[in-house]
Structure formats: structure tokens, C-alpha cells
């Protein structure tokens, strides 16, 4: 057999499963069709770490709670920014209050700790800048925010350092059952393995059981990044609930900015969406919105299908708005299932540390000076808005599973995510990527094969 375990898909779930399994004496590979891991994780600075109280589904609630409890440890160990901000789920009228109390009682029955029901006076005391309608709220100390792709990259880097073989830019075409294992066919290779963890969403291979397809509940998600007028306006995450099931909320990002967000069944126009969020963040006008981002979001059932685990196959289908929160729990459960079905032992030399790196903007001036003395490239600021240096960009390229695309640099360092949206630094990043990877600048892509940034050289400038 080529491998003991093949993990298909290098999203956050695949990377987390690779990390958990890399603790064991197993020969593992992960196959990802894109040039980079975690390329599909939503590109927003902060994701909410939920605590299960908002979910009607018992399994989702349980996985969110399990995941939530693991984040303090993970973020310390991996140096991934995480803030346990707490949050308020606010009811603005009597009907909403009824639904809120139901949610609260359901959470208590499930044994959720650190939540309380508070009245309007306490709400306004807790968040003095809030001037929307509020009759009652659930206050949860459990909610938090983190950088989801940082977490995915941390999982993958440690898995890589502990021997997991990452095969990027390789697409799985089929999975075929053979005696004592599987043959995984890709566009480049055929691999045999004893067990498969399939995390590729929506794919159906020869091995899959067609009865277990997931119902898709699609929502329209819109994010508004707000300017410094709204910086730290709220200390916690604020949600409103309403009878239509829309979710309007604000998130204090890990960098202290405010993100207003909306999740609706209908695809609202920009102005309608701004109106909705202005109920939570009073006074927003167009000029306050530094960045607008929309995506589809899902609230599907979470299915960890291990019904074929005796044959060696586990499929994880979990398109869900709380999936980052559930990831540590799902990875642990899947790893335990694999380990109890395959002969292996814990590695004595497992290294549970991410290689160190610097975030220039988070350092004091004294630390910055020391760093520049060590490496002058930390003294060259490439992205002015986010204060990202050439040293950090080179480090992002040279790290294990280093960035090979502009998107990869963006996700690892935060460059181009400021108010100028890369108009100052994009070309510089392309040049650094080309120089460090020994490629022509015309070969550097945004993220996928056909997304070149600079299409041609202009002949007259060849000698410049
Ligand atoms: C807008 C939005 C906001 C969100 N906000 C939050 C939040 O606040 N809190 C939270 O907890 N969660 C949040 N989530 C959920 C979370 O970000 C995603 O659900 C999660 O990142 C999905 O991870 P995954 O590994 O399951 O799937 P994916 O990221 O889709 O990974 C699957 C991987 O498989 C690869 N692949 C596909 N087909 C093949 C093939 N044939 N061969 C090889 N590779 C293949 C893909 O390229 C991809 O990299 C949000 C999601 C969205 C969309």
C-alpha cells in the first residue's frame, strides 16, 4: 500500500484531520486540488466561535460546544489570534423575546454553562453604544472570534512538520474499493491506501452511498467592514433574532475593527442590506464601509458518515456556518475512529509546535528595531495599510507549505486587506513571489491556474 491513510481535501477539516493523525505512526498523504491549502475558507478577518446555543440541531450544538472548549488551548499552542469576546443575542419585541427564552431553556437543558438572561437595562450597560431596541438578551461568555485560515494553516504546518505528505494541485477523480483498501485516482496518479477520509464537498465517487446526500439550505451572507469611526464600538458579538430567521450581527474582529453582517434567505440589494445592519450599528453611511464582501453560506446537516469505517472509508459532509467552530471536535472524533480501526501507536517524537514567525504590526518599536537588526527585510514595509513587511512576505513563502499565490500571501500575512485593497502593494507582492519562487512575474497567479495577475510584459520596457 502507498499510504495508511489518504485525506481528500485540504480545507480546514482536512488539515485538522491531518494534524490529529500526524500524532500517530501512520503514513499519511493529503490531496488538494488547489495550489494552496484552506483556499476555500471564507476570507474574512474574524470568524465567530459559536457555542451551540443558536442551533436547533442537537449534533451541531454538541460539536460546536466541544470545539468551542478546545479553542483556548489551540490558539495558545498554535499562535493563532483568538478572543473570547462573549456575545449578546438580543430580542427587540415580545415575540422575539418568546423565541429567545425558548432558545435559552433549550441551551440550559443541553447543559451549556456561562449563559444568562439579561434585561434591557443590563444590555445597555454592557454595550453603552448600542441604541437599537432591546427587551431581553441571552448573554453568553463562551462566544469568541478567531482567524479561521490562520487556524487551518497552523494545523497543516504542524502536520507537514510531522511527516504528512501534502499533494497540492492534484484533483481526486475517483475512489475505488480494492481488496484490503482503496485505490484513489487523481488527474496525475493512482494511489493505494488502507483508509480514506473524504472531506471534498459535494463530490460523489464510485464508493459513495447515494442515499446519504445532504439537503442544502443556502443563505446569502453579506459582510460590511466598518471604518475607524466604529472601531471597538462593541466589546462583544451582537446578534439580533427575528421571526423571519434572518441573522443580523456585528463582530469585533481580532484586530479591533467592527464587521457588520447579515445572513438572509433572500438575496437583498446592497442598500437594503445596509438598512438592516444599521439597526444594530446606528448611523452607518456608505462612506463608513471600507470593504463589502458577499458569499453563500450554508446551514446543512453535519454528516460524519463512518458507516463504512469497517471497510476503511469516512466521509465528512458539513457545509455549515459554524464549521470552523466544529473543526477541532470533528477532527478529534474522526482521528479516534481511524486509530481504533488501524494498527498504530502514538509517535514519541511528535512535535506539537508551529515554527515561530513575527507579526511586525503587533510588535513594540523596540522589538521592531531588534528584528530589523537581525534581518533588514523586516524594515521594508510592503503593505502600508496593514503594516506588513517584506520579511513577513518572504517568511510566508519559505515556511512549510509556503504561499505560492497572491491569495496565499494575503491569507498568511494580511497584506492587501487594508483600505487601499492592494493598489499600493500588489505588484510588489507579485515581484517578491516571482523572485523567491524563481518564476517569471507573468506566471504568478492570484489563486487558481487561470488567474494570472500580470498577463504580459510590454516589450518596450524589457530593458528597464
Ligand atoms: C461566508 C461564510 C462565513 C462563515 N463564517 C463562519 C463563522 O463565523 N464561524 C464558523 O465556525 N464557521 C464559519 N464558516 C464555515 C467555514 O468557514 C466553512 O464551512 C469551512 O471552512 C469549510 O471547511 P471544509 O474543510 O469542510 O471544506 P472546504 O474548505 O470546502 O475544503 C474542501 C477542500 O477540498 C478541495 N477539493 C474539492 N474537490 C476536490 C477534489 N476532487 N480533489 C482534491 N481536492 C478537492 C477543495 O479545493 C477544498 O480545499 C463560514 C463559511 C462561509 C461560507
Amino acid at each position: 500500500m502507498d499510504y495508511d491513510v489518504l485525506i481528500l481535501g485540504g480545507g480546514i477539516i482536512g488539515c485538522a484531520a491531518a494534524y490529529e493523525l500526524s500524532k500517530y505512526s501512520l503514513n499519511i498523504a493529503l490531496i488538494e486540488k488547489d495550489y494552496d491549502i484552506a483556499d476555500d475558507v471564507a476570507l474574512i478577518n474574524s470568524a465567530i466561535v459559536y457555542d451551540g446555543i443558536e442551533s436547533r440541531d442537537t449534533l451541531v450544538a454538541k460539536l460546536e460546544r466541544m470545539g468551542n472548549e478546545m479553542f483556548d488551548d489551540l490558539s495558545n499552542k498554535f499562535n493563532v489570534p483568538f478572543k473570547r469576546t462573549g456575545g449578546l443575542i438580543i430580542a427587540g419585541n415580545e415575540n422575539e423575546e418568546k423565541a429567545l427564552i425558548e432558545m435559552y431553556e433549550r441551551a440550559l437543558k443541553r447543559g451549556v454553562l456561562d449563559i444568562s438572561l439579561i434585561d434591557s437595562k443590563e444590555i445597555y450597560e454592557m454595550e453603552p453604544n448600542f441604541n437599537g431596541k432591546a427587551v431581553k438578551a441571552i448573554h453568553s461568555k463562551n462566544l469568541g472570534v478567531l482567524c479561521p485560515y490562520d487556524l487551518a494553516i497552523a494545523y497543516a504546518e504542524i502536520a507537514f512538520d510531522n511527516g504528512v505528505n501534502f499533494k497540492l494541485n492534484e484533483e481526486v477523480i475517483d475512489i475505488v474499493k480494492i481488496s484490503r483498501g482503496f485505490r484513489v485516482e487523481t488527474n496525475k496518479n493512482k494511489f493505494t491506501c488502507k483508509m480514506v477520509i473524504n472531506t471534498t464537498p459535494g463530490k460523489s465517487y464510485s464508493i459513495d452511498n447515494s442515499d446519504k446526500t445532504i439537503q442544502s439550505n443556502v443563505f446569502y451572507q453579506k459582510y460590511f467592514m466598518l471604518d475607524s469611526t466604529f472601531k471597538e464600538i462593541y466589546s462583544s458579538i451582537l446578534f439580533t433574532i427575528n421571526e423571519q430567521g434572518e441573522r443580523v450581527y456585528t463582530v469585533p474582529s481580532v484586530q479591533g475593527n467592527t464587521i457588520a453582517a447579515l445572513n438572509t434567505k433572500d438575496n437583498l440589494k446592497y442598500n437594503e442590506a445596509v438598512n438592516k445592519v444599521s439597526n444594530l450599528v446606528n448611523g452607518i453611511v456608505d462612506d463608513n464601509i471600507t470593504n463589502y464582501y458577499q458569499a453563500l453560506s450554508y446551514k446543512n446537516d453535519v454528516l460524519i458518515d463512518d458507516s463504512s469505517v469497517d471497510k476503511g472509508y469516512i466521509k465528512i459532509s458539513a457545509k455549515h456556518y459554524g464549521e470552523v467552530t466544529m473543526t477541532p471536535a470533528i477532527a478529534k472524533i474522526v482521528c479516534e475512529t481511524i486509530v481504533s480501526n488501524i494498527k498504530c501507536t502514538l509517535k514519541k517524537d511528535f512535535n506539537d509546535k508551529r515554527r515561530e514567525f513575527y507579526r511586525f504590526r503587533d510588535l513594540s518599536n523596540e522589538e521592531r528595531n531588534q528584528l530589523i537588526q537581525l534581518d533588514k527585510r523586516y524594515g521594508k514595509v510592503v503593505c502600508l495599510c496593514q503594516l506588513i513587511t517584506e520579511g513577513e512576505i518572504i517568511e510566508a513563502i519559505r515556511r512549510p507549505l509556503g504561499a505560492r499565490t497572491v491569495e496565499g500571501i494575503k491569507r498568511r500575512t494580511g497584506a492587501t486587506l487594508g483600505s487601499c485593497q492592494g493598489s499600493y502593494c500588489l505588484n510588489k507582492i507579485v515581484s517578491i513571489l516571482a523572485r523567491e519562487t524563481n518564476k517569471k512575474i507573468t506566471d504568478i497567479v492570484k489563486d487558481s491556474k487561470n488567474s494570472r495577475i500580470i498577463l504580459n510584459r510590454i516589450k518596450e520596457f524589457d530593458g528597464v
Side-chain angles (χ1 to χ4, degrees), residues 309-418:
V309 70
D310 53 328
K311 299 186 195 108
Y313 184 63
I314 299 181
K315 180 167 179 161
I316 305 163
S317 320
K319 271 189 164 253
H320 193 280
Y321 66 82
E323 200 179 339
V324 170
T325 311
M326 292 181 247
T327 293
I330 293 178
K332 261 231 134 64
I333 292 168
V334 167
C335 176
E336 278 163 15
T337 312
I338 293 274
V339 164
S340 60
N341 278 278
I342 200 166
K343 224 172 139 196
C344 63
T345 52
L346 272 170
K347 277 183 199 158
K348 288 207 175 78
D349 57 353
F350 175 70
N351 180 6
D352 206 1
K353 263 197 141 176
R354 195 178 178 194
R355 292 189 209 175
E356 283 195 10
F357 60 94
Y358 302 101
R359 290 191 180 96
F360 190 78
R361 68 177 163 211
D362 295 342
L363 302 178
S364 66
N365 276 345
E366 198 186 334
E367 288 166 330
R368 287 175 183 170
N369 282 332
Q370 281 170 0
L371 184 58
I372 295 166
Q373 301 243 304
L374 283 177
D375 185 338
K376 297 229 167 333
R377 292 168 299 187
Y378 283 93
K380 289 188 196 163
V381 175
V382 173
C383 170
L384 289 178
C385 307
Q386 299 280 86
L387 206 61
I388 311 293
T389 62
E390 181 173 354
E392 287 165 279
I393 293 173
I394 294 172
E395 171 66 16
I397 298 168
R398 293 190 182 168
R399 289 181 72 73
L401 290 171
R404 292 292 175 271
T405 63
V406 171
E407 193 74 15
I409 297 285
K410 203 167 168 174
R411 286 169 184 258
R412 284 168 179 79
T413 64
T416 81
L417 291 176

Side-chain angles (χ1 to χ4, degrees), residues 127-173:
E127 291 295 354
N129 291 320
F130 177 63
N131 49 15
K133 279 191 210 144
V135 290
K136 266 233 161 29
I138 300 176
H139 174 224
S140 165
K141 292 186 182 164
N142 308 311
L143 296 173
V145 290
L146 101 154
C147 285
Y149 40 91
D150 241 17
L151 177 66
I153 287 166
Y155 271 135
E157 285 183 355
I158 301 179
F160 177 92
D161 274 346
N162 285 287
V164 174
N165 188 344
F166 282 77
K167 296 179 179 298
L168 303 179
N169 192 19
E170 183 156 351
E171 183 164 0
V172 176
I173 308 294

